[in-house]
Amino acid sequence: MSNLEREAVPSVCGGRGFVVAEPVRELLSPRHVRLGESTEVRRLLPNLGRRMIGAWCFVDHYGPDDIADEPGMQVPPHPHMGLQTVSWLHEGEVLHRDSTGSLQLIRPRELGLMTSGRAISHSEESPREHARFLHGAQLWVALPDSHRHSDPHFEHHADLPVVTAPGLRATLILGSLDGATSPGTTYTPIVGADLALTQGADLRLPLEADFEYAVLAMSGEAHVDGVPVLPGSMLYLGCGRAELPLRAESDAGLMLLGGEPFEEELIMFWNWIGRSQEEIAQARRDWMEGTRFGEVKGYDGDPLPAPELPPTRLKPRGRVR
């Protein structure tokens, strides 16, 4: 999914100076952003008070939207570099196309994982014949410097490992949880899990004390470490936790996001992640000139133009020890 904002501004993210080294309960409210004609997303990352959670650097939650008489998601071809995109659905389908030639229909609780590496472009759309409701999340994972220039590729994993406990069914999206590991390729210590809770569930989820965590509420009513988290909001939890108390007041859907704090400082602009504003400016020129990012074949529409890059110069401030 793309950041479609036409007034995008560069921002610095990453670095341990942004990390809370102890357990906290920081509730993040979303910013509402239009995505095409019939989809509005709730953007949780980057947030005014929180830029990253481990390597997770972008989180959009959308739906459930009734798109029975609407085109649904229609995101024209657009570029990415320096990151992975994670497509995750609870309802509906999304058709993915990219410049490596991938064409894949993604269904609920199937992992669509695109690694941009040095450069890729893709589109996302609801199929012409689609389900009535569309509900899901789109997330980005920042690539470390050692892998950000790798070859672009796409993975689709329909059969993901599941961890169960009384009242819980946890599907592993990325990384590992309680002995189960996702087949999705990762480049930093990270975890992403879809948590389906049944009404009345009361449990403690094992965590890694060195990771920082957050929980995104997708549906239902749940308390995370005693804090009620409503759908479309996210609770940042900091580091230093060995377990996480969860209680469901109704059937509920949550997403657990975590990872080791991302030490490198990054510059994010539009759909690119780089290490300098000069690198971002070159990516913009390459996209607008039709070089480097390839062509998405089969999409009925024009690619997205890149927004203007503001003249203000940003530089990462260095690692904070």
Side-chain angles (χ1 to χ4, degrees):
M1 187 177 294
S2 170
N3 178 0
L4 300 187
E5 292 184 280
R6 305 310 304 161
E7 301 297 327
V9 295
S11 61
V12 175
C13 54
R16 286 186 174 268
F18 292 91
V19 176
V20 179
E22 60 186 7
V24 295
R25 302 174 186 87
E26 181 183 306
L27 193 61
L28 305 180
S29 298
R31 185 163 57 92
H32 294 262
V33 179
R34 294 296 303 176
L35 191 71
E37 297 177 12
S38 57
T39 303
E40 181 180 82
V41 302
R42 291 165 287 278
R43 184 153 298 161
L44 282 310
L45 283 183
N47 193 288
L48 183 62
R50 183 64 46 198
R51 295 292 180 181
M52 295 181 71
I53 298 147
W56 300 99
C57 60
F58 182 95
V59 176
D60 274 355
H61 173 242
Y62 54 91
D65 295 326
D66 187 339
I67 59 170
D69 299 316
E70 303 286 347
M73 184 180 293
Q74 299 294 325
V75 182
H78 57 278
H80 287 290
M81 75 174 188
L83 56 88
Q84 294 175 291
T85 66
V86 175
S87 298
W88 190 253
L89 291 168
H90 276 195
E91 295 181 89
E93 309 90 21
V94 171
L95 183 63
H96 166 96
R97 304 175 192 264
D98 67 43
S99 54
T100 71
S102 300
L103 177 63
Q104 180 64 54
L105 185 65
I106 302 169
R107 298 179 175 87
R109 291 180 172 82
E110 297 180 353
L111 172 60
L113 177 64
M114 185 181 75
T115 301
S116 70
R118 61 180 178 272
I120 199 171
S121 56
H122 75 140
S123 65
E124 292 168 296
E125 58 188 307
S126 297
R128 191 161 298 172
E129 300 294 328
H130 54 254
R132 178 175 180 177
F133 292 102
L134 180 65
H135 182 204
Q138 182 78 8
L139 313 98
W140 298 354
V141 179
L143 291 172
D145 188 65
S146 56
H147 290 95
R148 69 189 184 100
H149 299 295
S150 60
D151 292 338
H153 62 275
F154 178 77
E155 302 171 40
H156 175 243
H157 300 286
D159 187 15
L160 295 167
V162 172
V163 172
T164 60
L168 170 70
R169 180 179 174 85
T171 303
L172 265 294
I173 302 169
L174 286 180
S176 300
L177 178 70
D178 198 27
T181 301
S182 166
T185 303
T186 59
Y187 298 94
T188 55
I190 195 171
V191 66
D194 183 90
L195 311 179
L197 302 173
T198 58
Q199 184 175 6
D202 193 348
L203 64 133
R204 292 177 176 268
L205 195 68
L207 301 181
E208 299 286 340
D210 292 339
F211 281 19
E212 60 176 337
Y213 288 95
V215 170
L216 168 64
M218 298 285 286
S219 61
E221 299 180 34
H223 286 71
V224 179
D225 197 16
V227 178
V229 185
L230 300 177
S233 62
M234 186 161 69
L235 184 67
Y236 176 68
L237 297 162
C239 299
R241 294 174 179 270
E243 58 183 16
L244 181 63
L246 300 172
R247 188 175 81 251
E249 304 301 320
S250 68
D251 290 352
L254 307 173
M255 290 185 72
L256 175 74
L257 306 174
E260 283 190 0
F262 198 86
E263 290 197 7
E264 299 172 37
E265 287 197 350
L266 316 170
I267 292 181
M268 184 188 300
F269 175 72
W270 198 43
N271 298 298
W272 299 303
I273 291 179
R275 299 304 189 274
S276 69
Q277 195 149 322
E278 290 75 17
E279 188 179 347
I280 298 292
Q282 184 62 56
R284 186 186 184 281
R285 287 192 293 272
D286 291 344
W287 174 245
M288 296 302 289
E289 293 169 3
T291 62
R292 178 179 167 192
F293 290 94
E295 179 185 359
V296 178
K297 296 182 179 180
Y299 182 85
D300 184 17
D302 296 327
L304 286 173
E308 293 290 338
L309 185 62
T312 304
R313 313 303 293 177
L314 285 181
K315 292 183 179 180
R317 292 167 292 182
R319 295 182 181 179
V320 178
R321 298 294 185 182

